[in-house]
Amino acid sequence: MPWNHMQISIKADDLLILPQIGPGEMTREQAHTEVQNLLDRIPQLATTAATWRRGAKDDTVFSGPLVWCIYEHPAGEDPRLAAQVWLDDYAATMRTAGLDVQIAKLPPPTDL
């Protein structure tokens, strides 16, 4: 199955989860490299970039209200469908922790 990457920000004022979804149809290594490149571009994320480089737990890394991850999606399928499943699970986990988060409408796939 192909892989994709996603960057998520959580707005502090209303706890809205804002995802940015990659184009999909990547290898796992390509998706991992895309996240690494995003993290490496921001000097303030050096620690987060180092964590990702070492192999982040569950293919997910966090820095404050920002999250980066990679995930699989069925070949030929819009990667937003699998992203929605990932986001729904993430939101459920956040709600269990007492944060009443909501997920923004998914944008079209983009090159992050």
Side-chain angles (χ1 to χ4, degrees):
M1 283 211 310
W3 287 76
N4 197 23
H5 60 96
M6 180 167 40
Q7 177 178 305
I8 301 154
S9 60
I10 303 172
K11 289 176 49 184
D13 58 343
D14 60 4
L15 298 179
L16 185 64
I17 297 173
L18 301 166
Q20 292 179 295
I21 301 167
E25 299 296 330
M26 299 178 172
T27 65
R28 184 181 190 289
E29 293 74 25
Q30 287 170 324
H32 191 276
T33 297
E34 287 296 319
V35 171
Q36 190 68 62
N37 291 340
L38 288 167
L39 296 172
D40 286 341
R41 281 187 234 154
I42 304 169
Q44 297 86 340
L45 295 176
T47 301
T48 306
T51 298
W52 186 257
R53 191 172 283 106
R54 283 192 307 272
K57 183 181 176 184
D58 298 328
D59 291 324
T60 306
V61 71
F62 306 84
S63 181
L66 300 173
V67 180
W68 296 267
C69 70
I70 60 174
Y71 63 92
E72 288 183 283
H73 68 89
E77 182 178 283
D78 184 340
R80 293 178 297 171
L81 300 174
Q84 185 68 59
V85 171
W86 194 99
L87 290 162
D88 289 342
D89 183 57
Y90 179 67
T93 300
M94 299 285 284
R95 290 181 192 119
T96 300
L99 296 171
D100 187 23
V101 296
Q102 301 301 317
I103 304 168
K105 182 180 175 191
L106 294 184
T110 62
D111 293 323
L112 293 176

Coordinates of all heavy atoms in Angstrom, one line a residue, residues 1-4 23-26 72-82 109:
M1 N 0.8 -1.2 0.0 CA 0.0 0.0 0.0 C 0.9 1.2 0.0 O 1.9 1.2 0.6 CB -0.9 0.0 1.2 CG -2.1 -0.9 1.1 SD -3.6 -0.5 2.0 CE -3.2 -0.1 3.6
P2 N 0.4 2.3 -0.7 CA 1.2 3.5 -0.7 C 1.1 4.3 0.7 O 0.2 4.0 1.5 CB 0.6 4.4 -1.8 CG -0.6 3.6 -2.3 CD -0.7 2.3 -1.6
W3 N 1.9 5.3 0.8 CA 2.0 6.1 2.0 C 1.7 7.5 1.7 O 1.8 8.0 0.6 CB 3.4 5.9 2.7 CG 3.5 4.6 3.3 CD1 3.8 3.4 2.7 CD2 3.5 4.3 4.7 NE1 3.9 2.4 3.6 CE2 3.7 2.9 4.9 CE3 3.3 5.1 5.9 CZ2 3.8 2.3 6.1 CZ3 3.4 4.5 7.1 CH2 3.6 3.1 7.2
N4 N 1.5 8.3 2.8 CA 1.3 9.7 2.6 C 1.8 10.4 3.9 O 2.1 9.7 4.9 CB -0.2 10.1 2.4 CG -0.3 11.5 1.8 OD1 0.6 12.1 1.3 ND2 -1.5 12.1 2.0
P23 N 0.2 14.6 -1.1 CA -0.4 14.1 -2.3 C -0.7 12.6 -2.4 O -1.4 12.2 -3.2 CB 0.6 14.5 -3.4 CG 1.9 14.5 -2.7 CD 1.6 15.0 -1.3
G24 N -0.1 11.9 -1.4 CA -0.3 10.4 -1.4 C 0.5 9.7 -2.5 O 1.4 10.3 -3.2
E25 N 0.3 8.4 -2.6 CA 1.0 7.5 -3.6 C 2.5 7.5 -3.4 O 3.2 7.5 -4.4 CB 0.5 7.9 -5.0 CG -1.0 7.7 -5.2 CD -1.5 6.3 -5.1 OE1 -0.7 5.3 -5.4 OE2 -2.6 6.1 -4.7
M26 N 3.0 7.6 -2.2 CA 4.4 7.6 -2.0 C 4.9 6.3 -1.4 O 4.0 5.5 -0.9 CB 4.8 8.7 -0.9 CG 4.5 10.1 -1.3 SD 4.9 11.2 0.1 CE 4.6 12.7 -0.7
E72 N -0.5 4.9 5.8 CA -0.8 4.2 4.6 C -2.2 4.5 4.1 O -3.1 4.9 4.9 CB -0.7 2.7 4.9 CG 0.7 2.2 5.1 CD 0.7 0.7 5.3 OE1 0.3 0.2 6.4 OE2 1.0 -0.1 4.3
H73 N -2.4 4.4 2.8 CA -3.7 4.5 2.2 C -3.8 3.5 1.0 O -2.8 3.2 0.4 CB -4.0 5.9 1.8 CG -3.2 6.4 0.6 ND1 -3.5 6.2 -0.7 CD2 -2.0 7.0 0.6 CE1 -2.6 6.8 -1.5 NE2 -1.6 7.2 -0.7
P74 N -5.0 3.0 0.7 CA -5.1 2.1 -0.4 C -4.7 2.7 -1.7 O -4.9 3.9 -2.0 CB -6.6 1.8 -0.4 CG -7.1 2.0 1.0 CD -6.3 3.2 1.4
A75 N -4.0 1.9 -2.6 CA -3.5 2.4 -3.9 C -4.7 2.9 -4.7 O -5.8 2.3 -4.7 CB -2.8 1.3 -4.6
G76 N -4.5 4.1 -5.3 CA -5.5 4.7 -6.2 C -6.6 5.4 -5.4 O -7.4 6.0 -6.1
E77 N -6.6 5.3 -4.1 CA -7.6 6.0 -3.3 C -7.2 7.4 -2.9 O -6.0 7.6 -2.6 CB -8.0 5.1 -2.1 CG -9.1 5.7 -1.2 CD -9.4 4.8 -0.1 OE1 -10.0 3.7 -0.3 OE2 -9.0 5.1 1.1
D78 N -8.1 8.3 -2.8 CA -7.8 9.6 -2.3 C -7.2 9.5 -0.9 O -7.8 8.9 0.0 CB -9.1 10.4 -2.3 CG -8.9 11.9 -1.9 OD1 -7.9 12.2 -1.2 OD2 -9.8 12.7 -2.1
P79 N -6.0 10.0 -0.7 CA -5.4 9.8 0.6 C -6.1 10.6 1.7 O -5.8 10.3 2.9 CB -4.0 10.4 0.4 CG -4.1 11.3 -0.8 CD -5.2 10.7 -1.6
R80 N -7.0 11.4 1.4 CA -7.8 12.1 2.4 C -8.7 11.2 3.2 O -9.0 11.4 4.3 CB -8.6 13.3 1.8 CG -7.7 14.4 1.3 CD -8.5 15.5 0.7 NE -9.2 15.0 -0.5 CZ -10.1 15.6 -1.2 NH1 -10.5 16.8 -0.8 NH2 -10.7 15.1 -2.2
L81 N -9.1 10.1 2.5 CA -10.0 9.1 3.2 C -9.3 8.4 4.4 O -9.8 8.4 5.5 CB -10.5 8.1 2.2 CG -11.4 8.7 1.1 CD1 -11.7 7.5 0.1 CD2 -12.6 9.3 1.6
A82 N -8.1 8.0 4.1 CA -7.3 7.4 5.2 C -6.9 8.4 6.2 O -6.8 8.2 7.4 CB -6.1 6.7 4.6
P109 N -5.7 17.5 -1.4 CA -4.3 17.2 -1.2 C -3.4 18.3 -1.6 O -3.7 19.0 -2.6 CB -4.1 15.9 -2.1 CG -5.4 15.4 -2.3 CD -6.4 16.6 -2.2

